[in-house]
Amino acid sequence: RLTLVWTGGVTGDTSRSWVWLSQPDDGGKTWSDPTEVYRGGTQAFFHLKTKGPHVYLTWHGGEGDTAGRIYWNASDVGGKSWRHPWNEPVRVDRAPNSNAAPTRLAVAPDGDNMASTWREGYSRVVLAVSRDRGKTWPLTDVTVMTEDGGNQLRNPQVAVAENAAYVLWERWPDK
């Protein structure tokens, strides 16, 4: 089953951003009306993964000064229905004043373990791991790297195996 996810946004006096999802029932000849996954004031970025009949979608979004939160939803039936209503997704990051930015998702070969990584501001890379196909996420995030100097941490990526998660990131000098 195909799943198409995309974002859109406008800026000006106020900023708005959306994430939409659409799926066909006929192999891609016609598509469902778009489902609004997210609407907020921060430009949203998403990551979609599939494993057999499972579809996993994570994205970040927020409002104004609370620039980012990490959200999650999943389908166990190829996207025909979803575990949570779109207006009540699971929040993966746990920091009360999170400034989370684009998230990346990995699913282990066994399909049970998955990991999500993101950056908070440009000074912290964070990881969360679920061991039950994303049904539960830890109550605390794991800080993988912090940078207090003039460098910026960017573009974290993650890979996950049965009992380990591997995170890479870029470190950009300030000048």
Side-chain angles (χ1 to χ4, degrees):
R1 184 167 167 104
L2 300 172
T3 301
L4 175 66
V5 180
W6 71 98
T7 64
V10 295
T11 60
D13 292 339
T14 61
S15 295
R16 299 298 316 150
S17 177
W18 296 266
V19 176
W20 294 283
L21 178 142
S22 181
Q23 295 179 305
D25 284 323
D26 56 8
K29 292 178 185 166
T30 59
W31 291 79
S32 66
D33 289 336
T35 298
E36 185 178 278
V37 171
Y38 164 81
R39 176 191 302 210
T42 299
Q43 177 61 49
F45 294 93
F46 67 89
H47 198 184
L48 178 75
K49 289 283 192 176
T50 62
K51 180 80 173 173
H54 305 282
V55 182
Y56 306 109
L57 179 63
T58 184
W59 68 96
H60 98 286
E63 295 293 335
D65 293 337
T66 58
R69 305 281 190 260
I70 303 298
Y71 298 105
W72 160 267
N73 207 343
S75 171
D76 299 313
V77 290
K80 291 181 182 179
S81 64
W82 293 82
R83 290 184 193 167
H84 306 280
W86 289 113
N87 62 347
E88 297 175 17
V90 172
R91 184 167 165 202
V92 176
D93 69 306
R94 303 299 182 169
N97 296 315
S98 177
N99 189 16
T103 180
R104 301 302 291 176
L105 178 67
V107 180
D110 67 7
D112 291 333
N113 295 321
M114 53 192 56
S116 181
T117 189
W118 61 92
R119 65 174 170 78
E120 292 196 359
Y122 291 101
S123 62
R124 184 172 177 238
V125 174
V126 183
L127 173 72
V129 176
S130 171
R131 298 188 182 279
D132 58 5
R133 295 184 185 266
K135 292 176 184 161
T136 60
W137 290 88
L139 296 177
T140 57
D141 305 325
V142 175
T143 298
V144 177
M145 177 67 179
T146 59
E147 178 64 59
D148 293 329
N151 297 311
Q152 296 182 0
L153 304 176
R154 295 182 181 231
N155 306 319
Q157 303 291 316
V158 64
V160 66
E162 184 177 333
N163 289 313
Y166 305 92
V167 180
L168 302 171
W169 60 91
E170 296 174 16
R171 187 174 181 209
W172 291 18
D174 195 23
K175 296 229 178 216

